[in-house]
């Protein structure tokens, strides 16, 4: 993932995007961000940005504007590991689905991050035991496609075709009575999405 352009980007509280996720990863790598990676610029991210700005002698307003992003990009390379994990999960879970269906699977992960019923970071949600077939059967380890990355970016940038779904399953192959007992919000391709 390319680093956000210092001249073209301004990240602040209330923004959800792949660039916020990258910012969080960079701040984590430098020791300023000690919370879950969410892609959402909340008060914890703002506080971490402010601490970084103070340490760098920048105006400490908690807004990641051009000067802050430029300095951050010089200090920590953006690896995009969490984006890659989300793309791998989407590929493993929904590679035969439409693009909308792939974005929907990514959106479920992000909806879980925002829900108090699940872990509070993207990696923790992805690797939560027993939640995703692709983790359990090894499909997660297959190489994601460019489409999987594009779907992950769409979901990270706030696109949610499910309108808040927390679960999905394929009714043709699912064996869990619990999954089948949940009211279906919508169906996209082979997946039923539920809350």
């Amino acid at each position: 993932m390319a680093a956000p352009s210092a001249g073209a980007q301004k990240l602040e509280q209330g923004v959800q995007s792949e660039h916020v996720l990258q910012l969080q990863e960079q701040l984590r790598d430098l020791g300023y961000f000690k919370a879950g990676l969410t892609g959402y610029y909340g008060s914890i991210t703002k506080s971490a940005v402010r601490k970084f700005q103070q340490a760098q002698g920048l105006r400490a307003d908690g807004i990641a504007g051009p000067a802050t992003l430029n300095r951050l990009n010089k200090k920590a390379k953006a690896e995009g590991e969490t984006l890659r994990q989300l793309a791998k999960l989407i590929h493993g879970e929904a590679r035969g689905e439409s693009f909308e269906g792939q974005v929907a699977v990514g959106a479920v992960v992000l909806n879980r991050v925002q829900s108090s019923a699940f872990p509070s970071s993207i990696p923790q949600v992805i690797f939560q035991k027993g939640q995703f077939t692709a983790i359990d059967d090894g499909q997660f380890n297959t190489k994601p496609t460019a489409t999987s990355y594009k779907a992950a970016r769409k979901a990270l940038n706030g696109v949610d075709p499910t309108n808040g779904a927390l679960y999905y399953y394929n009714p043709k192959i699912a064996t869990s009575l619990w999954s089948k007992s949940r009211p279906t919000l919508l169906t996209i391709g082979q997946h039923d999405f539920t809350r």
Side-chain angles (χ1 to χ4, degrees), residues 49-162:
V49 168
R50 188 177 290 127
K51 288 176 186 171
F52 173 78
Q53 290 168 326
Q54 289 169 338
Q56 295 298 312
L58 298 168
R59 182 171 169 239
D61 59 5
I63 296 170
T68 299
L69 292 173
N70 187 40
R71 186 74 55 90
L72 188 60
N73 289 335
K74 288 179 180 175
K75 295 283 183 186
K77 184 177 183 217
E79 296 294 335
E81 176 62 20
T82 304
L83 173 66
R84 187 176 72 80
Q85 289 173 345
L86 186 58
K88 286 175 70 170
L89 182 75
I90 289 168
H91 181 74
E93 292 280 318
R95 67 181 165 271
E97 296 295 320
S98 67
F99 182 70
E100 179 186 33
Q102 291 182 38
V103 173
V105 167
V108 166
V109 171
L110 295 169
N111 292 341
R112 287 182 178 195
V113 169
Q114 297 301 320
S115 169
S116 61
F118 293 94
S120 61
S121 81
I122 294 168
Q124 289 174 328
V125 165
I126 289 173
F127 294 110
Q128 185 178 15
K129 187 168 176 55
Q131 295 298 306
F132 296 105
T133 304
I135 299 293
D136 296 339
D137 68 12
Q139 292 180 68
F140 177 81
N141 296 318
T142 60
K143 184 178 179 184
T145 63
T147 302
S148 300
Y149 275 99
K150 185 177 176 186
R153 284 186 175 98
K154 276 274 199 200
L156 281 165
N157 289 318
V159 176
D160 181 5
T162 74

